[in-house]
Amino acid sequence: MRNKKIGELLRELRESKGLLLREVASKMNMDQALLSKIERDERRPTKDQIPLFAEAFEVQADELMVAYLSDKVISELENDDLSLDALKAAEQKIKHSKKR
């Protein structure tokens, strides 16, 4: 699941539960067209919506949050030649800050 974009993951979860777009959109209090765009990765859900999706699909929010955050990082770095170096540096900084 870690290689999937958030939209693809949400669509797969919805379909595995046998839910229609309109049913999930209603649970999420959002427009069906917006949910469709999220599933097609034309729009990204908000960070605040991730726990709501997890609740709607009865899955752990962490798994969805990882997909959301990784998509966010990719959108920032994918066209930069130094992106992998930057990610390695960021990983080290995160590890260092957690030790404090």
Side-chain angles (χ1 to χ4, degrees), residues 90-100:
E91 180 181 23
Q92 292 304 313
K93 288 177 183 179
I94 290 170
K95 286 179 182 177
H96 179 73
S97 71
K98 286 191 177 206
K99 286 180 183 178
R100 284 194 251 157

Side-chain angles (χ1 to χ4, degrees), residues 27-28 47-58 61 64:
K27 282 184 181 185
M28 298 292 299
K47 188 174 183 178
D48 293 338
Q49 289 171 326
I50 299 302
L52 301 175
F53 277 116
E55 186 178 320
F57 296 131
E58 299 173 340
L64 296 181

Side-chain angles (χ1 to χ4, degrees), residues 2-99:
R2 291 197 179 242
N3 292 330
K4 295 181 181 173
K5 289 186 171 191
I6 187 67
E8 179 183 3
L9 183 55
L10 293 173
R11 179 178 43 245
E12 286 180 3
L13 287 168
R14 178 181 59 77
E15 290 174 349
S16 74
K17 299 285 184 180
L19 299 169
L20 300 173
L21 265 174
R22 63 178 154 76
E23 292 172 310
V24 175
S26 177
K27 282 184 181 185
M28 298 292 299
N29 198 25
M30 75 169 52
D31 185 66
Q32 184 175 330
L34 176 59
L35 178 56
S36 180
K37 287 179 182 181
I38 290 171
E39 286 189 358
R40 292 190 316 266
D41 288 310
E42 293 174 8
R43 292 275 306 265
R44 207 176 5 233
T46 65
K47 188 174 183 178
D48 293 338
Q49 289 171 326
I50 299 302
L52 301 175
F53 277 116
E55 186 178 320
F57 296 131
E58 299 173 340
V59 297
Q60 293 292 319
D62 289 358
E63 156 181 353
L64 296 181
M65 190 60 75
V66 168
Y68 167 82
L69 290 171
S70 65
D71 283 359
K72 191 172 180 179
V73 169
I74 288 169
S75 73
E76 282 292 318
L77 299 177
E78 68 184 335
N79 295 320
D80 197 306
D81 293 338
L82 297 173
S83 60
L84 290 177
D85 293 333
L87 285 172
K88 289 175 189 172
E91 180 181 23
Q92 292 304 313
K93 288 177 183 179
I94 290 170
K95 286 179 182 177
H96 179 73
S97 71
K98 286 191 177 206
K99 286 180 183 178

